[in-house]
Amino acid sequence: MVADAILPGAGHLAAGRRHLALIFGLPTLAAVLAVVALVATTSLPRLAAEAFNAFGVILVIQAIVLVWRLLAVGAGIVALGWRRPGARHGLAVAVLLLAVVLPQGYLGYVTNVAREEVDRVFVVDTGGAWQPPATPQPPATPQPTLTPEATATPTPEPTATPAVPRVTILLIGIDSGVGRRTANTDTMIVASLDPVTETVSMISIPRDMVNVPLPDGSVYAPKLNGLDSYARHNPSKYPGSDGTGHDVLMAAIGTLLNLQIDYYASVSLGSFVQVVNSLGGVDVSVSRSLCDPGYTEYGFDNGFSIKAGLRHLNGLQALAYARIRKAPGESDFTRAARQQEVISGLRDAVVKRGFLSDPVKLLNALGRAMATNVPREILPDLADVMTRVDRTHTYRNVIKSPLVRQGFDARGLIQIPDIAGIRTLAATLFPQTGTLPRAEFAAPPPATSGSGSGTGSCAPASTKPPPPTPVPSASVEPSPPDATPAPEVTPAPEVTPTPTSSPPAETASPSPSPAPTP
């Protein structure tokens, strides 16, 4: 009976009950062979992605398997003549039945948790980036017929759409954790998969970038990290938006890069810690040792330091490594590069051991941390490709000087974009599918030495006073630290303003909704 509980039909075969062995064993053998063939020919991430679309079917199959195992055990009891088992048999039967029901029940519980959390993570697809309503066009004016002497100006041919398009996602890190009163998008990374070359290109967008063009011909004048929140609180400013703010941010960054952004994935920084811990930590390649004595958040009271090398980090350590920016030689731009490295480490952890260590904990953490509009039906193909895209197939870049110039006005310290230069960079980093980006963008090879996390507290490196804060001209009345100026529509997104002591003309009165981050 024990053998039948594990593999229906096996116990009957061992006991010489061939008829029952055939009845229970043949379907069981066929099911086992089908599972073995599926696992042998399919990657674990793809199997998990396929399951996201079939939770109902999986629960039904689990119920059938449970009933089949109980029937096999029951047939064994009847064959032994235990139609009315005595006390000496009762305990054995009870233990046997519990050994069948409890593991199967736990598997059903895990499946149901997965169904609930996946429903929470994968929001309804709202149609991609925001598109402004079409402006009615005036009636066309009849044109005179061309005479033989006249020459028509040739119309440029549109760029051919590749047979296999890119899949491009905006990764949004929302800083709404401990001590935060707002939900600014301090991390904005565009990640694009080329299914032909099986490569991923990533570019980080500065959070303090201003005057970002929108697809309706206007610009968003304040810092870009406040647009998501501003659009969410002011949906009437963006007719046709879905009200989340994510679609407007996708549209702005897509217009900036001249790149179609298909989907978004937002992550709460506080919940990010639990995701990393549920994966058993992440491996990151630390290019140089860092010490930021001013980082006193999320479990670190005396600063954060990390040594160069290959490091295995838990959730708090990975978050600190991705967030510090006041170590000597560090800035928002170097921090963006470190965030890309952490993303690569997360990918490696998911592919290698994602659902093996503690599936319930991981699913619960993902449900609290993430939201995305990536359609579930494309997940299996994406997962299949991503298992083959490691660091050697990754290309990275950060928008920094000279593509942005630092300025200071009523909006605070800002980054003024060179839009034409940024679009040129994007065209080389995200070429047409089937074409590799330039080798200079290839991710650096991972470190080969180092053990443990290499992290700790960090004493101040120097007693020198901090550099003075830039002071604007007396003619400018700077905004308070918590305010972000509201945008005003302007017709010329391509114009790059020259920073002066006066705020740009398109800057309006402060808006109470968005707020800058530290």
Side-chain angles (χ1 to χ4, degrees):
M1 290 186 294
V2 174
D4 283 320
I6 299 173
L7 192 66
H12 296 299
L13 181 62
R17 298 186 289 268
R18 296 181 180 179
H19 180 65
L20 290 175
L22 288 174
I23 291 176
F24 289 103
L26 287 180
T28 302
L29 181 61
V32 170
L33 291 176
V35 171
V36 170
L38 187 62
V39 172
T41 58
T42 310
S43 67
L44 181 62
R46 183 180 182 93
L47 283 175
E50 293 279 10
F52 289 175
N53 298 310
F55 284 122
V57 175
I58 293 172
L59 287 170
V60 170
I61 291 174
Q62 290 174 355
I64 293 173
V65 170
L66 175 60
V67 171
W68 194 249
R69 294 172 66 196
L70 290 174
L71 286 174
V73 171
I77 293 175
V78 171
L80 290 174
W82 293 2
R83 291 178 176 82
R84 292 183 179 179
R88 65 189 183 89
H89 299 133
L91 180 60
V93 171
V95 171
L96 185 60
L97 292 178
L98 286 176
V100 173
V101 173
L102 290 181
Q104 198 75 48
Y106 177 74
L107 187 59
Y109 164 72
V110 172
T111 304
N112 191 57
V113 169
R115 178 187 62 79
E116 293 175 347
E117 298 301 340
V118 166
D119 287 344
R120 185 185 302 181
V121 170
F122 290 90
V123 301
V124 176
D125 184 7
T126 54
W130 170 66
Q131 295 180 351
T135 303
Q137 299 296 320
T141 303
Q143 298 295 321
T145 304
L146 294 175
T147 62
E149 293 76 20
T151 303
T153 302
T155 303
E157 293 292 333
T159 304
T161 302
V164 182
R166 285 182 168 275
V167 179
T168 305
I169 301 175
L170 175 62
L171 306 177
I172 306 170
I174 300 178
D175 198 355
S176 57
V178 179
R180 305 289 175 184
R181 294 181 291 116
T182 58
N184 286 343
T185 55
D186 274 1
T187 299
M188 294 169 283
I189 299 175
V190 176
S192 184
L193 170 67
D194 180 349
V196 179
T197 60
E198 296 185 347
T199 59
V200 167
S201 297
M202 291 192 289
I203 192 168
S204 294
I205 314 298
R207 62 175 187 168
D208 292 335
M209 185 184 290
V210 297
N211 303 332
V212 175
L214 295 171
D216 62 357
S218 65
V219 301
Y220 182 72
K223 296 180 180 181
L224 184 59
N225 69 339
L227 174 57
D228 187 285
S229 179
Y230 180 82
R232 184 167 58 254
H233 289 92
N234 299 274
S236 61
K237 301 283 187 180
Y238 307 97
S241 69
D242 61 19
T244 64
H246 299 336
D247 61 331
V248 178
L249 183 61
M250 290 165 61
I253 295 178
T255 304
L256 172 71
L257 301 176
N258 198 24
L259 180 71
Q260 176 180 319
I261 298 179
D262 306 299
Y263 312 109
Y264 72 82
S266 65
V267 180
S268 166
L269 294 186
S271 300
F272 165 87
V273 173
Q274 298 175 10
V275 172
V276 174
N277 286 339
S278 65
L279 287 168
V282 295
D283 296 324
V284 298
S285 180
V286 181
S287 58
R288 69 187 190 92
S289 299
L290 299 174
C291 170
D292 183 351
Y295 185 81
T296 56
E297 300 180 64
Y298 295 100
F300 291 92
D301 298 325
N302 299 305
F304 176 81
S305 67
I306 188 168
K307 297 178 180 179
L310 185 62
R311 300 300 173 190
H312 185 78
L313 308 181
N314 63 27
L316 291 173
Q317 293 162 346
L319 180 62
Y321 180 66
R323 296 192 73 235
I324 60 171
R325 61 189 177 94
K326 295 183 179 179
E330 293 296 299
S331 65
D332 276 345
F333 306 112
T334 56
R335 175 171 71 168
R338 282 186 271 110
Q339 291 169 349
Q340 294 179 358
E341 172 63 22
V342 172
I343 290 174
S344 294
L346 281 171
R347 174 265 170 203
D348 293 344
V350 170
V351 170
K352 293 176 182 177
R353 58 181 186 275
F355 288 87
L356 298 179
S357 55
D358 191 339
V360 173
K361 184 177 179 181
L362 174 60
L363 290 166
N364 285 332
L366 288 173
R368 289 189 295 268
M370 285 189 62
T372 181
N373 66 343
V374 175
R376 296 191 199 183
E377 56 267 22
I378 73 170
L379 287 178
D381 290 336
L382 285 179
D384 215 19
V385 176
M386 287 305 297
T387 58
R388 301 190 293 270
V389 179
D390 57 19
R391 294 167 190 256
T392 62
H393 298 87
T394 304
Y395 297 82
R396 310 175 187 169
N397 206 284
V398 176
I399 295 178
K400 56 186 177 182
S401 178
L403 297 180
V404 288
R405 293 182 293 108
Q406 182 171 294
F408 188 91
D409 60 15
R411 296 166 289 188
L413 285 171
I414 57 176
Q415 299 293 336
I416 304 168
D418 172 5
I419 295 175
I422 291 172
R423 289 175 175 169
T424 299
L425 169 64
T428 58
L429 186 59
F430 306 101
Q432 199 170 54
T433 53
T435 303
L436 289 174
R438 293 207 305 258
E440 65 187 90
F441 300 132
T448 57
S449 62
S451 61
S453 68
T455 63
S457 59
C458 183
S462 172
T463 57
K464 294 181 180 179
T469 303
V471 179
S473 168
S475 61
V476 176
E477 185 67 26
S479 301
D482 291 337
T484 302
E488 179 177 316
V489 173
T490 62
E494 294 288 340
V495 176
T496 302
T498 301
T500 64
S501 59
S502 299
E506 63 269 22
T507 305
S509 58
S511 167
S513 21
T517 60

